[in-house]
Amino acid sequence: MKLGIVGLPNVGKSTLFNALTKAGAESANYPFCTIDPNVGIVPVPDFRLGLLANMYQSKKVTPAVIEFVDIAGLVKGASKGEGLGNQFLSHIREVDAIVHVVRCFEDSNIVHVDGSIDPLRDIETINLELLFADMDVLDRRIAKTAKGANNDKSLAKELAILKRLKAHMEDGGLAKTFEAEDEDEQSFIDSLTLLTSKPVIYAANVTEDDLASDGNDNAQVAKVREFASGEGSEVFVICAQIEQEIAELEDDEKQEFLEDLGLSESGLEKLIQASYHLLGLISYLTSGEDETRAWTIKKGTKAPQAAGKIHTDFERGFIRAEVVNYQDLLDAGSYAAAREKGLIGLEGKEYVVKDGDVILFRFNV
Ligand SMILES: Nc1nc2c(ncn2[C@@H]2O[C@H](COP(=O)(O)OP(=O)(O)OP(=O)(O)O)[C@@H](O)[C@H]2O)c(=O)[nH]1
Ligand SMILES: [Mg+2]
């Protein structure tokens, strides 16, 4: 599961990427590795891990991770091959969700490709290129489907959907705002893996002066927020440059630095957490003397499949899961106390695991 960092040139994508991966490299217990200079594995900040590790005196803490990809800047005309054009678009095709960086900071030393700071125009430029690329995909698919549609009912149905979707896009609509008539139709549309069907978070890159107010004093940020709410996307206010500096600091210095800026936590951490949820991911936890660890599952995963993340034997020989909410466990003070209070649920194969569940799996192979 990975997120692509997308935006116009010079808006701060690589600066944000460096901050993300540096913050990752620093997390001592995670075996950080760079797969590719443009792909970074980033631990997901999770305050629950520290609390549980403290209770169990765990020797090791292992966070959940997600991947970010730093994608080269896109320019107007990319869908027609301008700039890095097709290369850019194929990188976006591979990601599961998008962090769209928009420049809201003024800095006369940093050139803006279109000459001025105007995040709405920038968003529109990017979204249009994605839309054009999707329409090309649809055109090709329509031409192919039309050939067989005369004597094949299911192809005829697909053709009708493709044409409706195309019309929606010609009006400027994104694939994700298209209203499918039923689940079959939606899964057909999903199978097209269109760029504009991917979930998006907007990262409004501001100057450090705008951080304390969370961008509320910046009129450009307000416009981005209004636009994003119209398409059901979230906006995070960050200062990529400051995040890069923060990522280089030790923990205690970091706290001091944040306080000086009037912040309680770094914007980067909130952005990473939101990205994790944007991918439809949640964490369940295991905790003991050896290790406290977050395990990544898709929302809606049942207990045996969640157990399979730890070991296939756990899934194959699944008997039951002993489940306690992390807060209940912390409040009780120990696993034994939680058990005495009846806070530990015995759950079977149909149990849907929740974010923040602390689980002990019983299995037999
Ligand atoms: N003042 C200011 N400058 C920033 C900020 N973020 C990035 N920059 C600067 O803007 C310039 C471009 O930043 P990059 O992160 O390389 O931009 P990019 O989006 O990766 O650009 P491309 O890879 O060319 O598409 C660099 O000189 C950064 O130092 C910021 O928050 N404030
Ligand atoms: Mg870059």
Side-chain angles (χ1 to χ4, degrees):
M1 298 296 273
K2 44 187 183 181
L3 291 117
I5 304 175
V6 169
L8 288 179
N10 254 3
V11 294
K13 298 182 300 297
S14 296
T15 309
L16 176 65
F17 176 80
N18 290 339
L20 286 164
T21 48
K22 229 173 249 150
E26 191 211 34
S27 151
N29 280 326
Y30 184 74
F32 177 76
C33 60
T34 307
I35 301 170
D36 177 287
N38 298 323
V39 182
I41 294 181
V42 176
V44 180
D46 189 339
F47 69 95
R48 301 170 300 196
L49 294 176
L51 297 173
L52 288 169
N54 190 38
M55 189 175 104
Y56 278 99
Q57 294 296 301
S58 309
K59 293 191 197 90
K60 194 175 157 196
V61 176
T62 309
V65 294
I66 42 176
E67 277 180 39
F68 283 91
V69 188
D70 184 16
I71 296 174
L74 161 126
V75 292
K76 211 174 277 173
S79 60
K80 301 283 171 271
E82 289 295 323
L84 292 167
N86 293 332
Q87 196 189 334
F88 168 91
L89 293 164
S90 71
H91 283 138
I92 302 188
R93 231 174 268 294
E94 286 165 20
V95 301
D96 303 289
I98 290 171
V99 173
H100 185 156
V101 181
V102 280
R103 176 164 168 182
C104 297
F105 68 87
E106 297 278 352
D107 185 337
S108 52
N109 295 318
I110 314 282
V111 176
H112 188 296
V113 279
D114 289 320
S116 59
I117 305 304
D118 185 347
L120 284 192
R121 175 201 59 203
D122 294 356
I123 290 174
E124 194 178 327
T125 301
I126 298 277
N127 284 352
L128 259 183
E129 291 307 322
L130 301 183
L131 206 52
F132 287 152
D134 280 350
M135 290 205 281
D136 282 347
V137 170
L138 284 185
D139 282 340
R140 266 178 273 137
R141 189 67 186 249
I142 286 171
K144 205 173 118 201
T145 310
K147 281 184 193 153
N150 277 339
N151 37 29
D152 184 325
K153 263 199 179 148
S154 79
L155 283 183
K157 190 167 175 238
E158 283 182 13
L159 185 63
I161 303 170
L162 290 166
K163 284 185 172 166
R164 268 173 43 231
L165 182 55
K166 177 82 193 296
H168 170 77
M169 289 187 159
E170 276 164 349
D171 287 337
L174 309 177
K176 70 179 157 210
T177 60
F178 180 75
E179 284 181 28
E181 278 172 4
D182 52 41
E183 268 177 39
D184 282 352
E185 199 170 302
Q186 189 57 53
S187 61
F188 171 65
I189 291 168
D190 292 345
S191 76
L192 301 169
T193 59
L194 297 168
L195 301 176
T196 63
S197 65
K198 296 183 194 287
V200 175
I201 287 178
Y202 292 97
N205 195 10
V206 300
T207 56
E208 63 176 279
D209 302 338
D210 282 332
L211 284 179
S213 66
D214 196 30
N216 284 323
D217 297 337
N218 182 323
Q220 305 286 11
V221 174
K223 288 187 210 163
V224 175
R225 286 206 168 105
E226 193 187 328
F227 173 85
S229 83
E231 62 170 47
S233 300
E234 275 187 278
V235 179
F236 284 82
V237 170
I238 47 142
C239 173
Q241 210 167 37
I242 288 291
E243 292 298 346
Q244 200 178 1
E245 286 171 32
I246 293 176
E248 282 165 21
L249 299 174
E250 300 294 332
D251 276 348
D252 47 339
E253 289 177 312
K254 200 178 278 183
Q255 212 46 50
E256 216 170 289
F257 195 77
L258 286 172
E259 276 163 26
D260 285 347
L261 289 166
L263 304 173
S264 57
E265 60 180 329
S266 99
L268 199 66
E269 297 196 348
K270 285 188 273 185
L271 179 67
I272 299 170
Q273 283 158 348
S275 302
Y276 191 62
H277 296 303
L278 188 70
L279 291 170
L281 304 175
I282 57 171
S283 299
Y284 76 85
L285 314 161
T286 53
S287 195
E289 267 176 43
D290 283 340
E291 186 183 35
T292 290
R293 180 161 180 172
W295 300 88
T296 299
I297 52 172
K298 284 212 119 188
K299 224 172 158 177
T301 301
K302 291 182 180 172
Q305 288 70 44
K309 293 280 168 187
I310 301 178
H311 200 288
T312 48
D313 282 353
F314 281 33
E315 179 171 354
R316 201 156 49 90
F318 179 88
I319 299 171
R320 64 170 188 272
E322 298 183 9
V323 182
V324 55
N325 172 265
Y326 81 96
Q327 191 62 57
D328 290 345
L329 176 56
L330 290 168
D331 289 346
S334 73
Y335 203 80
R339 193 190 298 280
E340 257 168 49
K341 289 186 172 165
L343 296 171
I344 300 195
L346 299 183
E347 307 289 355
K349 287 189 167 145
E350 291 305 313
Y351 178 72
V352 176
V353 174
K354 294 196 286 291
D355 190 52
D357 279 349
V358 180
I359 307 186
L360 192 67
F361 290 107
R362 298 291 177 194
F363 70 105
N364 183 15
V365 283

